[in-house]
């Protein structure tokens, strides 16, 4: 059965899978329709194929299996369509004026003779062009989305594909759907392969082999943090997903690899006597980072004695630095690039403050940076000087000559010294972006804990730099006297050394709650967060952070968030809510951004009442839901640093509850009180450095909840996943890089 009508209202739409409930005007009768629809807007005219069904809760509905967007034919429908907000430059008043003038010919006029729009008062030639271009773009996008619907492409992904290829989308897909793997983030080989099959692309196509190789390399970067992979592993993985024997594509391989190099997609290298393949992007990033580090190191290192300045700092602040700390300060003051690393309680913050004092005495402009907002805030509070996130310092700017950041190789930061804290979190892409923006006479000091989890993004920055043999560094091992009073610090070091932490529950800041089953653990965690810990510490429940090793399971992040949301922020008549398939967002909920979004707009009010506007919210940023608009499908979030962002429904996929988070997501953050479930799991997940990272996130108290047996297993498990990264190798090629002219001249 086929019905058609104008969309009068959208009751629900899942942005991920396109499941939609809407109401159409079907010959004067309102009909509720349910089915999968990629994109929907009030005022559009739909042709739906399906059948009438009866839902026991909602009554009669039209369940459609296929949908087609029709051009509205009546003046009423055309006006509603133009008012929908789809067409740039057309609001209610303008829509009415256009339809009154051109009637049922309106859409043809807009598409084929847009200059006539200037006959309407208020529409200039430029505005007429904008309206026409917007209309044609929307029309093409809708056609494309409907086409992709038949290939099981989600609405969100369909829009992303269209935004990549625009009016060339259909041509690109029919010619080589495997290009999606190369061009569109989030589309893997299996999706492209399914489209190719339906379009009749040959099984032995060179396009298919190329896509298989790319998929393995991209997957290795995204999931395992590799910036390169041994060629043999790439071939093995490609053969597996291609479902063919290696011998069957071996003769084609050389030709395809050669073409991929010509196209600038990948590089073949020999690293440590192993043939490897690298995505060109990572090759350029890691070599570029090495090039800049070597350039900074190529400055003649000073050998100035700063003992007097250090002594003055000690006298003013009433503290005494131990020899390792003094050595670190001397090194930092005398070198163009260096690293300071150490665990909790070893005085890294004190060293930063001392370096700041020295630099100020030398009239040098110092920029303090950290990878996350929380880490930057903590740095600001401890040093008494404003610290920024790396993203904020570089300033996101899409208009700057093809760069993501305003400050780049063409527009350098003006500071004389940069100190980056929590550098273990920094992936090689972000490091490269920062180094590009550093002027040649600037000093760069990296500070971090080498034993923390590696960055979520690709690369192994801190380890590679420490192991290369050409970058000066100091490894702090001596624990500050005051820090020795904290069992958090002592137990963190014990865990890092493979020793069981002290868990006799006699301390003031480190406790173990023995629970045998996941259900008991869940009840205990809920009780601790809601009642026991707030009474004991004075920290409100929403500020107590649960850090879990895994996402799934009874004590996984997803379920913990549901349980804690119900306890900390239960439903109430005055609390507005917005339901999504994954999460229910409620007024006052604690939430977290889970991917970098450079484009989302924010506004921030300073202490003087002045408003600052900007763009960008980043992975790990934590905030509170301060309003929910159910009708618009919008959620407003106020982040901890005061930025206020409005999340439209299509952006809510990047937002999640944050009462509990994975330990990986907690990197760079610090919380007053941390609760950690100790649960059964695989040896690749429940590792020593995972537990160490979790414990070191706490300032005032740690509570472990679970089974002592699994705690022992975590402490003993020193497994670290292998990461293939080339920064160390490039740094070791220093002499060759100089010979080949890759290292920058020191002359500005």
């Amino acid at each position: 059965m086929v019905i058609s009508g104008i969309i009068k209202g959208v009751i629900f739409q899942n942005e991920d899978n396109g499941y939609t409930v809407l109401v159409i005007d079907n010959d004067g009768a309102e009909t509720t329709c349910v089915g999968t629809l990629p994109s929907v807007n009030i005022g559009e005219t739909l042709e739906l194929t399906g059948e009438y069904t009866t839902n026991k809760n909602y009554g009669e509905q039209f369940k459609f299996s296929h949908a087609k967007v029709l051009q509205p034919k009546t003046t009423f429908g055309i006006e509603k369509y133009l008012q929908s907000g789809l067409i740039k430059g057309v609001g209610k008043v303008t829509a009415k004026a256009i339809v009154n003038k051109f009637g049922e010919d309106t859409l043809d006029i807009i598409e084929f003779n847009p200059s006539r729009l200037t006959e309407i008062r208020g529409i200039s030639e430029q505005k007429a062009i904008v309206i026409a271009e917007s209309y044609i773009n929307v029309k093409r996008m809708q056609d494309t989305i409907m086409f992709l619907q038949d290939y099981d492409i989600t609405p969100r992904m369909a829009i992303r594909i269209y935004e990549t290829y625009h009016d060339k989308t259909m041509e690109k897909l029919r010619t080589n759907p495997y290009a999606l793997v190369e061009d569109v983030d989030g589309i893997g080989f299996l999706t492209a392969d399914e489209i190719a099959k339906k379009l009749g692309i040959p099984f032995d196509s060179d396009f298919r082999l190329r896509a298989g190789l790319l998929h393995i390399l991209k997957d290795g970067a995204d999931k395992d943090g590799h910036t390169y992979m041994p060629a043999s592993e790439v071939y093995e993985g490609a053969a597996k997903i291609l479902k063919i024997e290696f011998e069957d594509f071996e003769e084609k391989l050389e030709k395809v690899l050669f073409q991929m190099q010509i196209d600038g997609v990948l590089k073949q290298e020999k690293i440590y006597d192993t043939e490897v393949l690298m995505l060109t992007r990572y090759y350029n990033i890691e070599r570029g980072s090495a090039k800049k580090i070597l350039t900074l190191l190529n400055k003649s290192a000073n050998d100035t004695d700063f003992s007097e300045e250090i002594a003055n700092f000690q006298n003013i602040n009433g503290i005494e630095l131990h020899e390792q700390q003094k050595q670190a300060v001397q090194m930092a003051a005398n070198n163009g690039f260096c690293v300071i690393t150490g665990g909790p309680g070893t005085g890294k913050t004190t060293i930063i403050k001392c370096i700041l004092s020295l630099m100020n005495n030398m009239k040098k402009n110092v920029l303090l940076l950290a990878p996350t907002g929380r880490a930057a805030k903590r740095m600001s509070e401890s040093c008494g000087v404003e610290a920024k996130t790396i993203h904020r310092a570089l300033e996101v700017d899409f208009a700057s000559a093809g760069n993501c950041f305003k400050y780049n190789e063409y527009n350098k930061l003006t500071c004389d010294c940069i100190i980056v804290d929590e550098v273990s979190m920094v992936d090689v892409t972000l490091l490269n972006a920062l180094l590009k923006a550093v002027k040649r006479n600037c000093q760069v000091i990296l500070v971090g804990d080498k034993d923390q989890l590696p960055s979520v993004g690709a690369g192994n920055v801190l380890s590679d730099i420490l192991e290369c043999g050409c970058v000066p560094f100091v490894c702090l091992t001596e624990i500050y006297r005051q820090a020795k009073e904290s069992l958090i610090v002592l137990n963190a070091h014990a865990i890092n050394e493979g020793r069981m932490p002290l868990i006799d529950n006699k301390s003031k800041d480190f406790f173990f709650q023995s629970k045998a089953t996941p259900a008991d653990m869940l009840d205990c965690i809920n009780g601790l967060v809601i009642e026991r810990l707030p009474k004991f510490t004075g920290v409100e429940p929403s500020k107590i952070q649960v850090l879990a090793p895994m996402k799934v399971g009874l004590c996984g992040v997803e379920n913990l968030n549901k349980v804690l949301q119900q306890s900390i922020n239960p439903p109430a008549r005055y609390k507005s809510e917005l339901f999504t398939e994954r999460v229910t967002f409620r007024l006052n909920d604690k939430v977290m951004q889970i991917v970098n979004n450079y484009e989302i707009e924010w506004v921030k009010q300073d202490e003087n009442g002045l408003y600052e506007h900007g763009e960008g919210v980043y992975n790990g940023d934590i905030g509170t839901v301060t309003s929910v608009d159910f009708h618009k499908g919008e959620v407003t979030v106020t982040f901890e640093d005061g930025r206020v962002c409005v999340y439209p429904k299509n952006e809510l996929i990047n937002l999640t509850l944050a009462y509990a988070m994975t330990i990986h997501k907690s990197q760079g953050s610090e919380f007053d009180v941390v609760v950690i479930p100790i649960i059964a799991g695989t040896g690749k997940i429940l590792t020593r450095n995972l537990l160490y990272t979790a414990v070191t996130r706490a300032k005032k108290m740690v509570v472990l909840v679970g089974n002592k047996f699994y705690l022992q297993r975590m402490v003993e498990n020193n497994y670290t996943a292998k990461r293939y990264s080339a920064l160390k190798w490039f740094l070791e090629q220093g002499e060759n890089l100089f010979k080949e002219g890759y290292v920058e001249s020191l002359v500005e």
Side-chain angles (χ1 to χ4, degrees):
M1 179 182 281
V2 178
I3 66 171
S4 63
I6 298 170
I7 301 173
K8 293 192 68 176
V10 180
I11 299 171
F12 173 79
Q13 185 173 46
N14 185 301
E15 295 292 328
D16 295 324
N17 59 26
Y19 179 77
T20 304
V21 181
L22 53 84
V23 177
I24 67 169
D25 184 344
N26 179 25
D27 291 332
E30 289 190 357
T31 304
T32 302
C33 307
V34 297
T36 300
L37 192 62
S39 176
V40 61
N41 293 278
I42 294 172
E44 289 184 316
T45 302
L46 293 181
E47 181 183 271
L48 305 174
T49 303
E51 60 183 10
Y52 282 99
T53 61
T54 301
N55 184 286
K56 65 179 182 180
N57 294 321
Y58 303 108
E60 188 178 66
Q61 299 175 333
F62 187 81
K63 189 175 182 180
F64 60 90
S65 57
H66 192 271
K68 183 180 179 182
V69 178
L70 303 176
Q71 293 299 305
K73 296 177 182 177
T74 66
T75 55
F76 173 78
I78 294 169
E79 187 175 335
K80 284 289 184 185
Y81 175 70
L82 293 177
Q83 290 176 359
S84 67
L86 284 171
I87 314 301
K88 290 180 181 177
V90 181
K92 287 186 178 181
V93 175
T94 304
K96 191 173 188 66
I98 294 173
V99 174
N100 284 342
K101 175 73 175 178
F102 301 114
E104 293 179 0
D105 296 328
T106 293
L107 298 181
D108 286 339
I109 294 289
I110 292 174
E111 185 171 3
F112 301 111
N113 196 7
S115 62
R116 288 200 60 192
L117 293 174
T118 59
E119 297 173 19
I120 296 167
R121 188 177 177 183
I123 299 182
S124 64
E125 286 187 18
Q126 186 61 40
K127 187 173 180 178
I129 292 170
V130 169
I131 293 171
E133 287 179 346
S134 177
Y135 171 74
I136 293 168
N137 188 56
V138 168
K139 190 177 175 184
R140 285 172 178 164
M141 184 172 68
Q142 288 173 332
D143 290 343
T144 302
I145 290 172
M146 292 300 175
F147 170 80
L148 290 170
Q149 184 184 2
D150 294 334
Y151 297 94
D152 299 322
I153 300 293
T154 66
R156 177 181 292 274
M157 194 56 68
I159 292 170
R160 192 179 296 175
I161 292 170
Y162 184 81
E163 287 174 346
T164 302
Y165 300 126
H166 299 287
D167 60 333
K168 304 291 185 186
T169 301
M170 306 296 280
E171 179 188 341
K172 178 66 84 171
L173 290 174
R174 290 189 174 107
T175 306
N176 176 22
Y178 291 106
L180 294 170
V181 178
E182 210 164 318
D183 300 335
V184 185
D185 286 339
I187 292 196
F189 173 81
L190 295 177
T191 300
D193 202 36
E194 193 60 36
I195 297 172
K197 284 178 189 174
K198 291 179 178 179
L199 291 171
I201 304 294
F203 185 77
D204 61 350
S205 163
D206 287 355
F207 291 143
R208 189 167 186 266
L209 174 54
R210 175 178 173 132
L213 295 169
L214 277 174
H215 175 82
I216 298 300
L217 287 168
K218 289 178 75 173
D219 209 46
D222 295 340
K223 292 183 178 178
D224 301 313
H226 303 319
T227 59
Y228 75 84
M229 292 179 68
S232 58
E233 289 189 25
V234 179
Y235 302 151
E236 185 181 338
K240 190 174 179 180
I241 65 167
L242 291 165
K243 296 180 180 176
I244 56 178
E245 297 295 326
F246 174 70
E247 293 77 17
D248 294 337
F249 72 76
E250 194 172 8
E251 54 184 66
K252 284 189 172 188
L253 193 60
E254 189 174 344
K255 173 190 168 187
V256 171
L257 287 174
F258 181 71
Q259 188 60 50
M260 290 172 79
Q261 291 185 82
I262 289 177
D263 294 341
V265 175
L266 63 72
K267 296 280 188 180
Q268 286 184 282
E269 279 286 346
K270 186 172 256 187
I271 295 179
Y272 301 121
D273 297 321
T274 300
E275 294 291 338
V276 309
L277 298 178
M278 296 184 75
L279 292 170
T280 301
R281 172 174 176 252
Y282 288 115
Y283 177 89
N284 292 336
I285 282 172
E286 291 201 295
R287 198 187 76 169
S289 297
K291 162 186 164 180
K292 189 63 185 225
I293 291 170
L294 292 170
T295 299
L296 293 170
L297 287 171
N298 196 35
K299 295 168 50 181
S300 48
N302 297 318
D303 196 22
T304 307
D305 186 0
F306 290 95
S307 298
E308 187 176 335
E309 288 83 351
I310 293 172
N312 288 337
F313 173 80
Q314 292 178 125
N315 291 333
I316 292 169
N317 292 276
I319 58 173
E320 186 173 348
L321 275 66
H322 54 68
E323 282 308 307
Q324 280 185 335
Q325 291 177 308
K326 291 176 183 177
Q327 183 188 347
V329 174
Q330 293 274 11
M331 174 194 68
N334 280 305
N335 286 277
F337 189 91
C338 65
V339 178
I340 300 167
T341 181
T346 55
K348 296 189 295 293
T349 299
T350 302
I351 291 171
I352 292 173
K353 290 165 76 172
C354 187
I355 295 169
L356 270 171
S357 175
L358 263 65
M359 294 296 173
N360 287 334
N361 290 340
M362 292 188 282
K363 308 299 182 186
K364 290 189 175 184
N365 179 19
V366 183
L367 180 60
L368 299 185
L369 300 178
T372 67
R374 275 184 161 266
K377 184 181 179 184
R378 188 173 74 248
M379 201 179 185
S380 298
E381 291 169 350
S382 58
C383 296
V385 177
E386 183 190 17
K388 298 179 180 180
T389 64
I390 298 172
H391 290 94
R392 186 181 168 204
L394 295 177
E395 293 187 27
V396 175
D397 183 4
F398 293 99
S400 61
N403 290 276
C404 185
F405 298 107
K406 176 183 175 181
Y407 292 99
N408 49 58
E409 62 267 48
Y410 310 108
N411 182 32
K412 306 279 188 177
L413 294 165
T414 58
C415 54
D416 306 306
C417 176
I418 293 174
I419 303 174
V420 185
D421 199 11
E422 293 284 358
V423 76
S424 63
M425 289 186 65
V426 177
D427 61 42
V428 72
T429 302
L430 188 57
L431 175 75
N432 184 244
L434 175 62
L435 291 176
K436 279 191 220 179
V438 173
K439 62 184 184 180
R440 296 185 186 98
N441 62 348
C442 181
Q443 291 175 266
V444 176
I445 304 159
L446 306 183
V447 183
D449 184 350
K450 65 180 177 60
D451 295 312
Q452 296 284 342
L453 291 169
S455 61
V456 176
N460 215 3
V461 167
L462 185 55
S463 293
D464 277 2
I465 292 174
L466 290 173
E467 294 172 12
C468 72
C470 62
V471 175
F473 70 90
V474 169
C475 184
L476 304 168
T477 55
E478 190 169 332
I479 302 173
Y480 244 69
R481 179 176 54 80
Q482 296 94 323
K484 289 180 180 178
E485 299 172 4
S486 166
L487 205 55
I488 295 174
V489 172
L490 295 177
N491 276 342
H493 284 276
I495 291 165
N496 196 38
E497 294 164 8
R499 297 182 285 112
M500 276 289 284
L502 184 63
I503 52 172
D504 59 6
N505 288 343
K506 293 180 181 178
S507 80
K508 295 180 181 178
D509 61 1
F510 200 103
F511 301 93
F512 181 81
Q513 300 288 296
S514 180
K515 300 295 172 184
T517 69
D520 290 340
M521 291 167 59
L522 184 63
D523 286 343
C524 179
I525 291 169
N526 194 41
L528 284 166
V529 173
I530 299 304
E531 188 173 3
R532 293 170 61 190
L533 289 175
K535 283 183 179 179
F536 189 70
T537 65
V539 178
E540 60 185 89
S542 64
K543 301 295 183 183
I544 296 169
Q545 190 60 57
V546 180
L547 302 179
M550 295 179 290
K551 289 183 180 180
V552 298
L554 209 59
C555 291
V557 167
E558 292 175 358
N559 190 58
L560 281 165
N561 269 321
K562 289 179 183 176
V563 171
L564 292 169
Q565 182 192 40
Q566 187 65 23
S567 298
I568 296 172
N569 189 32
R573 288 180 63 186
Y574 67 89
K575 293 180 186 175
S576 49
E577 297 179 334
L578 184 64
F579 302 93
T580 72
E581 194 169 275
R582 291 180 312 109
V583 179
T584 296
F585 294 103
R586 187 174 296 139
L587 184 67
N588 300 330
D589 268 335
K590 181 180 179 180
V591 293
M592 178 173 61
Q593 177 78 11
I594 55 176
V595 297
N596 289 335
N597 185 335
Y598 300 107
E599 298 183 55
I600 191 167
E601 296 179 351
W602 53 260
V603 63
K604 181 179 179 180
Q605 189 176 17
D606 66 18
E607 55 198 22
N608 300 316
L610 300 174
Y611 287 94
E612 178 187 357
H613 296 262
E615 295 175 335
V617 180
Y618 308 109
N619 190 355
D621 286 353
I622 294 173
T624 303
V625 175
T626 45
S627 80
V628 177
D629 191 321
F630 175 80
H631 298 288
K632 289 184 178 179
E634 291 180 349
V635 169
T636 301
V637 177
T638 300
F639 289 96
E640 292 177 327
D641 62 358
R643 288 169 300 159
V644 179
C645 292
V646 177
Y647 283 75
K649 60 182 181 179
N650 65 314
E651 294 290 349
L652 289 176
I653 188 69
N654 299 325
L655 202 65
T656 191
L657 297 175
Y659 302 104
M661 68 177 70
T662 63
I663 296 168
H664 282 88
K665 285 290 185 186
S666 74
Q667 287 177 265
S669 296
E670 198 172 63
F671 310 95
D672 283 340
V673 181
V674 166
V675 180
I676 308 166
I678 306 296
I679 54 180
T682 67
K684 289 185 177 181
I685 296 175
L686 302 184
T687 64
R688 181 188 302 172
N689 72 330
L690 190 79
L691 180 60
Y692 172 77
T693 299
V695 169
T696 56
R697 298 306 90 200
K699 288 195 292 186
K700 296 180 179 179
M701 184 177 292
V702 170
V703 183
L704 307 179
V705 181
N707 192 307
K708 189 176 177 180
F709 171 77
Y710 294 117
L711 176 61
Q712 180 91 40
R713 280 185 59 182
M714 285 187 81
V715 172
E716 292 174 352
N717 183 13
N718 200 26
Y719 171 83
T720 52
K722 172 65 179 173
R723 278 198 176 192
Y724 298 116
S725 58
L727 180 59
K728 175 187 172 186
W729 183 79
F730 278 118
L731 286 167
E732 291 171 347
Q733 308 306 304
E735 253 183 66
N736 294 329
L737 291 178
F738 274 101
K739 287 176 183 175
E740 295 171 27
Y742 292 143
V743 176
E744 295 177 21
S745 162
L746 295 180
V747 181
E748 286 286 354

